[in-house]
């Protein structure tokens, strides 16, 4: 059994999707970040960086409990544990890893900063930030479009953790005021992944604590 510490956000959704895709049993523990529950001592013991998602695998290496923090590390751990969505061939593996890193260092931070400045920052004196992150979002959609015009999935020929990581961020395209018809290769990829039952299940992340 895997304990999943979660609430909302694309970084959490990607872990839900991965768990559903792998068919691994998990139990949800909701951490209400809007109330600051991530700073409670009991959660700090799980993740000293005080962020969700985090997992505790009670059947970890050597059959012992093992904690993994940071969404990218969790995806890699679950891929290795399940033997799914990360190729064994070295070149194909690093094709996937490169595009996973683009999500972790580009798509996630830039899309996330756009959301922050659009929804939470003061409306006055915010023009530079919005211009910067809007232009960077457009550039990243263009990067994805070029890649997905060459191969069906971000890592190459097969669906992988690179796609699982990126999909929940692109799923907010309407927030970003992006028309996917302007990015036909991204749209084909998005529609293909949206049809996967495990993705549909994983995207049903609770919006409030149940």
């Amino acid at each position: 059994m895997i304990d999943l510490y979660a609430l909302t956000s694309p970084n959490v959704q990607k872990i839900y999707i991965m768990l559903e895709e792998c068919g691994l049993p998990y139990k949800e523990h909701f951490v209400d970040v809007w109330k600051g529950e991530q700073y409670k001592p009991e959660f700090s013991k799980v993740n000293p960086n005080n962020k969700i998602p985090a997992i505790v695998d009670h059947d970890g290496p050597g059959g012992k409990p093992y904690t993994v923090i940071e969404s990218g590390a969790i995806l890699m751990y679950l891929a290795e544990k399940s033997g799914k969505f990360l190729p064994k061939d070295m070149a194909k593996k690093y094709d996937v890893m490169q595009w996973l890193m683009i999500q972790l260092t580009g798509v996630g931070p830039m899309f996330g900063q756009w959301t922050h400045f659009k929804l939470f920052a003061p409306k006055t004196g915010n023009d530079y930030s919005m211009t910067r992150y809007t232009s960077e979002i457009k550039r990243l959609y263009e990067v994805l479009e070029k890649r997905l015009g060459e191969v069906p999935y971000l890592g190459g020929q097969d669906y992988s953790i690179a796609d699982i990581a990126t999909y929940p961020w692109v799923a907010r395209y309407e927030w970003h005021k992006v028309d996917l018809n302007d990015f036909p290769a991204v749209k084909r990829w998005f529609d293909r992944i949206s049809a996967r039952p495990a993705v549909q299940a994983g995207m049903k992340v609770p919006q409030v604590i149940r």
Side-chain angles (χ1 to χ4, degrees):
M1 179 64 69
I2 292 173
D3 288 331
L4 169 62
Y5 293 85
L7 189 62
T8 60
S9 87
N11 282 335
V12 170
Q13 288 170 323
K14 67 176 82 162
I15 306 306
Y16 273 100
I17 292 171
M18 184 65 173
L19 289 166
E20 293 287 340
E21 290 279 18
C22 295
L24 294 170
Y26 63 95
K27 180 179 179 181
E28 298 162 301
H29 300 270
F30 297 121
V31 180
D32 193 340
V33 298
W34 305 107
K35 294 180 179 178
E37 291 181 358
Q38 70 272 34
Y39 297 109
K40 288 185 175 181
E42 55 266 35
F43 184 68
S44 294
K45 291 178 182 178
V46 175
N47 186 354
N49 197 31
N50 302 104
K51 292 182 180 293
I52 54 174
I55 67 168
V56 178
D57 182 4
H58 291 278
D59 185 25
K64 298 178 180 179
Y66 189 76
T67 300
V68 190
I69 62 174
E70 294 297 320
S71 63
I74 295 170
L75 288 178
M76 290 186 283
Y77 175 85
L78 294 175
E80 187 166 350
K81 178 182 177 70
S82 66
K84 297 179 179 180
F85 309 117
L86 185 62
K88 299 293 191 295
D89 175 84
M90 189 170 183
K92 292 180 179 178
K93 176 180 179 179
Y94 276 89
D95 285 342
V96 170
M97 296 292 282
Q98 290 174 69
W99 286 92
L100 174 63
M101 294 303 128
I102 287 174
Q103 188 281 303
L104 296 173
T105 64
V107 170
M110 295 300 105
F111 287 24
Q113 288 298 314
W114 186 94
T115 301
H116 171 81
F117 283 101
K118 180 67 174 179
L119 300 182
F120 303 113
K123 300 303 180 186
T124 57
N126 197 20
D127 292 347
Y128 173 79
S129 300
M130 286 308 302
T131 299
R132 167 175 163 71
Y133 291 116
T134 298
S135 64
E136 185 63 5
I137 279 180
K138 182 176 183 296
R139 187 192 72 81
L140 286 164
Y141 272 99
E142 291 170 349
V143 170
L144 296 175
E145 176 69 15
K146 184 175 187 301
R147 175 62 172 170
L148 292 167
E150 298 168 346
V151 289
Y153 296 101
L154 289 171
Q157 296 301 314
D158 299 314
Y159 178 67
S160 73
I161 57 174
D163 304 292
I164 292 170
T166 306
Y167 174 86
W169 290 98
V170 175
R172 296 188 171 194
Y173 66 90
E174 291 180 337
W175 290 24
H176 307 143
K177 302 187 184 305
V178 167
D179 184 349
L180 285 189
N181 291 311
D182 294 337
F183 302 96
V186 174
K187 187 177 188 303
R188 287 193 300 272
W189 168 88
F190 181 81
D191 290 344
R192 189 182 308 123
I193 294 176
S194 295
R196 296 179 70 93
V199 172
Q200 294 170 12
M203 289 296 287
K204 292 178 180 177
V205 176
Q207 299 302 306
V208 295
I209 298 291
R210 290 199 294 247

